[in-house]
Amino acid sequence: MSAAPYGLLSSIHSPHDLRDLTEDQLKELSLEIRAFLIEHVCQTGGHLGPNLGIIELTLAVHRVFESPRDPIIFDTGHQSYVHKILTGRQDQFPTLRQRHGLSGYPSPTESEHDWIANSHASTALSYADGLAKAIRLQRQSGTVVAFVGDGSLTGGMAWEALNNIAASDDLPLVIVVNDNGRSYTPTVGGLARYLTGLRTNPRYEQILDLVKRNVSRAPLVGNVAYDILHGIKIGLKDVLAPQGMFSDLGLKYVGPIDGHDVAAAERALQQAKQFRGPVLVHCVTRKGNGFKAAENHEEDRLHAVGKINATTGEALGGASGQTWTDVFSEELLGLGSTNDRVVAITAAMVYPTGLHRFAQAFPDRCFDVGIAEQHAVTSAAGLAMGGLHPVVAVYSTFLNRAFDQVLMDVALHHCGVTFVLDRAGITGPDGASHHGMWDMSILQIVPGLQLAAPRDGIRLRDALARSLTIDDGPSVIRFPRGSISADLPAVDQREGIDILLTTEQPRVLVVGIGPFAETALAVGQRLSDQGIGVTVVDPVWALPINPALVALAADHELVITIEDNGTVGGWGTRLAQELRFAGVDTTLREFGLPQEFIPHGGRGELLEEVGLTPQHIARYAVEAIVRSEEPLEEQSTR
C-alpha cells in the first residue's frame, strides 16, 4: 500500500476516475478500499463481511458500465458500501448508519447513483426487469445491472423475475451474481474465457439458426442432425460450466468468474454488455475476503457487526446484558426439550433470531428456508396440519411479505402456528425498511389471531409457553431489538390485565404495549405528581382486546395508549373502535409512530423525535385534564 493511508482512493470521486487506472493500480485501490472499510465499519458498525467480498467485482462493474446512465441495482442492498465509496461518499463514512448520516443501504436521496432504497431481499431483479423494459420501449441507451447474491437468490420473488426476464431476448439487462456461498469452484484460464466469449457472441446464435434452417431441410436426418448439434452445444457448456438451471430458463450464462480478479470480471462483463440481451454473469467471491477475523468467523463471516476491534474482530465495550433475543432463544430451547411437537422455522436468520441453540439441539426440527418468508409461513401451516406446533421466527418487518400466507394459509385453516417477531418497533440504524412498525396494523385484521407484546423477560417466557398451547389459530409474540430491561412486576391484576400503578380517584388510564409499559408507568408517575389520579396497565395479550380493558376505560375520563407501531390502524385505534362498539364515550388518545418512513438513527433519539417520551405524553395528558376542567366559555375562547 502507498505511503499515504489512502493515496489512490483519495483521488476517486466518481466512477469516471476509475477508467484510466492500470491493472496494478486497481490492485492497489482494492487494498486501500479493503483497509478503508475495515477501519470505518469497525468504528460505526454495519455490514462488513459482504462488502469485503465484492470490492474487485464492484470496481469491475463501475469500469464497464456508466452509472447512473446504466442503472446499478443492489440486492441485497447491504452490498452497496463499495459502490458508495466509488460514487463520492467516502467522506461520509464516519457517519454510517447514524442519524442524518450515511445510510447502510442504497438511498436515492443520497446520490443519483442509487436508484432504489432497497434493503429487503430478492427485489432487484423485478426492479431491473421494469427498468430494462422502460429503456427498451423508449429506445434509450443504457444497460441495467442487477447486482444480486449474498442470499437474495433464495427468495421466490427473484425466481419469478428470472422466469420473465428469460422470456425477453432483447432486454438490456446484465445480472451479476455474487456467489459467496462457494457453491461452485471457480473456473479460470484461457479456455474458460474463450468459451464465455463464444456463448455471448451474437453470431453464435445466428450460426445455430443457420444450421437449423439448412440442415433441417433434409427429412428425418436433418432433424436428427440438428438435435445432435444442439445437444453437443448444451452438453459442452454443462461440462465446462455449472450453469444448468439458468440455461434451462433460456438465460445466457457467463462464468463462473473469479470475482476477486478485476480483469477477469471486466472481460466477462464487457462480453455480457455487448450481447444486448439478458445475460447472467456468475462470479464466485469469498465473504469477508482479506480480513482474517472475518474469514475465520464461521458463523457468518462478520456479516453484520457492531463496533469491533479492527484487528481481532472482537466486540468493543463491556457486556450489554441479556437481549430479548437471548431470552426467547433460551426459552424455546427449554420448551422444545420437553415438547417434541415444537419445531422452528426461519428465513435465513437462524442466528439473528436466536434459533441457533434450538437448531444445535434439534437439527431435524429446525428449518431455514432461505429468504423465503411466504414459503416459511405456508410450510408452517403444513407442519401444523401434520400435528406439530411450528414457531416461525423472523424480524417484524419481514413478516409484511407473508401477510397473505398468515391470513389465508394459517388463519383460514385454523392452524396453530406461533410467530415470533424480533426487532419490533424502532430498530435504529437500519432505517425505514427495517423498523418493525407495521405488524400490529396488518395482523389485527386476521380473524382469530392472538398477539402478545411482553414488557419484560418473565412475560416473554410466559407468552411463549402459552402460545404453544394455542392450536386453533395463529399466535404472535413481538419484542424489540436490544437489551432487555429489568422485570416490571404488577401491583395487581384484573381478568388478565396487569395493573402497574393505581392511585386514588383515577381519572386517566394509561395503557402501555410491550416495553412501553415502562414508559406508561413513567407517565403515570408524572401525572400522580401533578395530583391527577391515574391507573397504568399492561394488557399482556394485546389481541384480541380484553373486554375487561373496555370496562376499565369506562371508569376513566381519558385513555392514553402507547405503542411502537404506526398510529394508523394501530393497537390504540383498535381499542378506540372497541370502545365505540361498547358504547363507551371515554376520550382516547393514541401515541405511536407517525405513519411515515422513519429514517435511520439511534432508537432513543428517534423516539424522542416522534414524541414517544414520558415527558411529552404526560404534558398532553395534563393539558387535556386541565382543559376538561375549564368552563365552556373559556374553552371556546381557547
Side-chain angles (χ1 to χ4, degrees), residues 444-466:
Q444 66 172 284
I445 70 173
V446 177
L449 181 140
Q450 300 184 48
L451 184 146
R455 67 180 183 268
D456 55 28
I458 289 178
R459 260 47 64 168
L460 173 53
R461 294 178 189 276
D462 291 345
L464 185 59
R466 176 179 162 183

Side-chain angles (χ1 to χ4, degrees), residues 100 132 183 192 282 395 495 509 521 563 632:
H100 304 299
S183 300
H282 176 195
Y395 285 2
E495 300 177 55
L509 174 64
L521 183 59
E563 61 187 295
L632 290 177

Side-chain angles (χ1 to χ4, degrees), residues 567-636:
T567 52
V568 176
W571 185 85
T573 303
R574 177 64 176 272
L575 178 60
Q577 184 180 52
E578 294 294 331
L579 294 184
R580 289 197 304 274
F581 288 163
V584 176
D585 59 3
T586 304
T587 300
L588 185 146
R589 172 64 156 86
E590 310 97 321
F591 283 89
L593 301 176
Q595 215 66 27
E596 60 191 44
F597 293 110
I598 300 172
H600 61 278
R603 176 178 166 87
E605 61 186 338
L606 290 175
L607 293 177
E608 176 78 31
E609 286 184 19
V610 301
L612 279 182
T613 63
Q615 180 180 7
H616 177 82
I617 298 169
R619 182 186 302 120
Y620 167 83
V622 170
E623 292 174 354
I625 291 295
V626 169
R627 282 196 301 270
S628 71
E629 295 174 342
E630 292 177 349
L632 290 177
E633 314 85 72
E634 292 186 22
Q635 291 186 33
S636 61

Side-chain angles (χ1 to χ4, degrees), residues 3-263:
Y6 305 113
L8 193 55
L9 180 56
S10 62
S11 68
I12 305 299
H13 305 291
S14 76
H16 182 77
D17 297 329
L18 301 172
R19 297 284 186 269
D20 298 327
L21 297 183
T22 66
E23 188 170 338
D24 287 341
Q25 287 176 316
L26 288 171
K27 291 179 180 177
E28 176 79 5
L29 181 60
S30 297
L31 292 173
E32 291 187 11
I33 293 173
R34 186 161 279 110
F36 181 93
L37 282 171
I38 294 170
E39 176 188 349
H40 287 87
V41 179
C42 286
Q43 292 177 11
T44 62
H47 290 90
L48 182 58
N51 288 285
L52 292 174
I54 48 86
I55 293 171
E56 294 84 0
L57 188 51
T58 308
L59 286 171
V61 166
H62 273 295
R63 278 169 58 87
V64 172
F65 299 95
E66 296 183 23
S67 178
R69 189 201 67 176
D70 295 324
I72 301 174
I73 311 297
F74 284 88
D75 189 354
T76 54
H78 62 240
Q79 300 180 96
S80 63
Y81 288 15
V82 183
H83 165 79
K84 287 174 181 272
I85 291 171
L86 299 177
T87 53
R89 287 170 274 180
Q90 296 176 35
D91 293 344
Q92 299 175 55
F93 263 79
T95 70
L96 181 67
R97 294 167 24 108
Q98 298 172 33
R99 187 72 181 100
H100 304 299
L102 195 66
S103 169
Y105 299 98
S107 173
T109 61
E110 284 181 5
S111 171
E112 63 178 350
H113 295 278
D114 293 1
W115 282 74
I116 56 175
N118 66 318
S119 49
H120 281 197
S122 309
T123 59
L125 291 175
S126 297
Y127 282 120
D129 175 63
L131 276 167
K133 286 173 179 172
I135 289 173
R136 183 185 63 187
L137 285 170
Q138 298 174 83
R139 294 180 172 83
Q140 297 173 341
S141 61
T143 301
V144 180
V145 182
F147 201 122
V148 302
D150 201 31
S152 61
L153 282 178
T154 61
M157 188 174 171
W159 292 96
E160 293 175 21
L162 279 173
N163 186 51
N164 280 271
I165 289 167
S168 302
D169 294 338
D170 59 345
L171 205 60
L173 171 59
V174 174
I175 302 168
V176 180
V177 177
N178 169 29
D179 177 9
N180 59 18
R182 294 170 291 170
S183 300
Y184 303 116
T185 301
T187 302
V188 295
L191 178 61
R193 287 200 303 270
Y194 171 77
L195 290 171
T196 294
L198 178 65
R199 286 197 301 273
T200 55
N201 189 325
R203 293 183 60 196
Y204 180 65
E205 290 299 313
Q206 294 168 10
I207 292 170
L208 186 66
D209 288 340
L210 181 64
V211 170
K212 179 179 181 179
R213 286 195 304 271
N214 288 282
V215 177
S216 298
R217 289 173 185 169
L220 298 179
V221 176
N223 287 329
V224 173
Y226 171 73
D227 288 342
I228 291 173
L229 287 171
H230 191 67
I232 290 173
K233 164 197 167 188
I234 295 173
L236 281 173
K237 289 194 295 183
D238 285 344
V239 167
L240 294 164
Q243 65 170 341
M245 187 179 300
F246 301 111
S247 289
D248 291 342
L249 280 171
L251 279 172
K252 286 296 174 185
Y253 173 94
V254 178
I257 305 298
D258 181 355
H260 298 297
D261 184 333
V262 178

Side-chain angles (χ1 to χ4, degrees), residues 273-401:
K273 180 181 179 180
Q274 291 166 6
F275 184 69
R276 296 300 298 172
V279 181
L280 185 145
V281 182
H282 176 195
C283 302
V284 178
T285 65
R286 294 178 296 278
K287 200 167 186 174
N289 187 54
F291 185 27
K292 288 297 182 184
E295 292 176 350
N296 297 333
H297 193 261
E298 291 300 322
E299 180 180 313
D300 62 4
R301 300 292 177 88
L302 296 183
H303 173 81
V305 299
K307 296 180 180 181
I308 62 173
N309 184 287
T311 302
T312 66
E314 296 177 352
L316 297 177
S320 57
Q322 196 174 39
T323 67
W324 288 92
T325 309
D326 291 335
V327 174
F328 160 68
S329 180
E330 292 172 359
E331 189 64 15
L332 182 66
L333 176 61
L335 293 169
S337 300
T338 59
N339 184 351
D340 58 11
R341 291 181 59 238
V342 176
V343 294
I345 305 177
T346 191
M349 289 199 166
V350 171
Y351 279 92
T353 60
L355 288 186
H356 56 286
R357 292 185 176 95
F358 188 90
Q360 290 165 0
F362 311 108
D364 294 338
R365 290 159 55 191
C366 188
F367 309 99
D368 183 353
V369 301
I371 304 176
E373 290 86 0
Q374 292 174 308
H375 166 64
V377 172
T378 304
S379 177
L383 286 163
M385 291 173 183
L388 301 175
H389 192 107
V391 175
V392 180
V394 294
Y395 285 2
S396 168
T397 184
F398 295 133
L399 190 69
N400 300 353
R401 316 185 111 200

